[in-house]
Amino acid sequence: MPVLTRDEAASKIMVALDKPDAAAALALAEQLQGTGCWMKVGMELFYAAGPSVVRELKSRGFRVFLDLKMHDIPNTVRGGARSITRLGVDLFNVHGAGGMAMMSAAAEGVREAVAAGDAEQAPLVIAVTQLTSTSQTVLNEEIGIMGQVEDAVVRYAKLAREAGLQGVVASPLEVAAIKSACGVGFITVTPGIRPRGNDVGDQSRIMTPYDAVAGGTDYLVIGRPITAAHNPAEALDNILKEMTL
Ligand code: C5P
């Protein structure tokens, strides 16, 4: 287990701001201001509050992961990636299930927006492999992909790397296999994190923060264990303590 400082641990945490409007999201962000953690803006917040909430979080000094899991034809995803790049997020994602051409188009969209001078920085682009709520049974019997979850995840990770993306979203249980297939520098962002004693909820392939870091995860996405806590700042603090043991 690498020994992490508190700042290093905080910079690995992406808090899922799954809130219904900008006011609720920004009130929560305020409680976590200055901790060094990232903010993850997903569908619930973005569809309600739009780009302005992302700009507001950036202006408050947060790094932002825009989690919209784009999955469309390559031309549409290229345009979406250009727009997201102009918005100035630090990281966004597309679905690995969209295939190589779609993932490459996302990377191209980023390059086009930067080359046009529309963005100061190129965001990192990562691919969703299999949702952390997807169990082995769901993968085989509903989605219709045969074999083990880990094999399906590693296949998408390799495709994402070939397409020029910088990493993947996966379960912390799959990090070792992804790193061994794609290299240690290939970024892993892992939801499905549950501190000891927390509700599993709808997640399926889960791990504690300590074990996730020990397993080589680069970034831990944590939602309800922080956002639904009576005192979110204290919940984050307890997680940081757990990670820096
Ligand atoms: O509340 P919880 O910790 O389960 O939140 C996990 C967050 O990570 C949610 O915002 C969810 O949309 C997101 N996510 C996920 N699995 C993925 C990709 C994103 O759970 N594969």
Side-chain angles (χ1 to χ4, degrees):
M1 167 79 182
V3 180
L4 294 178
T5 65
R6 194 188 154 85
D7 285 352
E8 284 166 346
S11 70
K12 284 176 167 291
I13 302 230
M14 298 172 156
V15 177
L17 270 187
D18 293 327
K19 294 287 177 189
D21 54 47
L26 294 173
L28 177 60
E30 198 172 326
Q31 295 180 63
L32 304 175
Q33 186 89 39
T35 56
C37 65
W38 289 58
M39 290 290 139
K40 183 179 83 69
V41 175
M43 296 176 192
E44 183 179 4
L45 180 58
F46 194 80
Y47 293 164
S52 66
V53 75
V54 172
R55 290 193 195 98
E56 181 60 32
L57 289 166
K58 286 299 296 175
S59 78
R60 295 183 183 197
F62 287 105
R63 280 175 292 172
V64 174
F65 166 18
L66 187 57
D67 179 18
L68 297 180
K69 302 182 177 66
M70 279 197 284
H71 188 184
D72 210 315
I73 59 171
N75 189 54
T76 301
V77 168
R78 183 183 295 110
R82 278 196 302 263
S83 293
I84 291 176
T85 302
R86 284 187 210 114
L87 181 55
V89 304
D90 300 274
L91 188 148
F92 72 90
N93 58 5
V94 298
H95 248 294
M100 277 271 274
M102 191 209 77
M103 290 191 274
S104 303
E108 279 163 27
V110 170
R111 286 194 293 273
E112 286 167 10
V114 172
D118 294 340
E120 283 171 20
Q121 59 162 8
L124 297 168
V125 190
I126 61 177
V128 176
T129 53
Q130 292 298 332
L131 298 175
T132 40
S133 54
T134 300
S135 64
Q136 183 69 53
T137 312
V138 168
L139 184 79
N140 297 153
E141 292 177 14
E142 294 180 18
I143 301 175
I145 295 177
M146 295 306 131
Q148 298 300 307
V149 173
E150 185 172 290
D151 296 334
V153 166
V154 168
R155 192 172 65 247
Y156 282 166
K158 285 180 176 166
L159 284 179
R161 196 180 57 136
E162 274 177 53
L165 305 195
Q166 286 89 16
V168 284
V169 188
S171 156
L173 299 168
E174 290 129 19
V175 167
I178 292 165
K179 296 277 184 185
S180 112
C182 300
V184 282
F186 194 66
I187 296 168
T188 51
V189 175
T190 65
I193 302 291
R194 287 295 177 267
R196 277 184 286 259
N198 265 251
D199 261 1
V200 169
D202 56 355
Q203 294 287 11
S204 178
R205 305 188 332 272
I206 59 167
M207 222 184 236
T208 65
Y210 181 88
D211 289 342
V213 172
T217 289
D218 297 291
Y219 295 102
L220 292 73
V221 173
I222 308 181
R224 287 159 291 182
I226 294 174
T227 57
H230 175 63
N231 182 340
E234 189 182 75
L236 173 62
D237 198 53
N238 287 335
I239 290 168
L240 293 176
K241 282 186 187 131
E242 197 178 317
M243 289 167 71
T244 51
L245 277 179

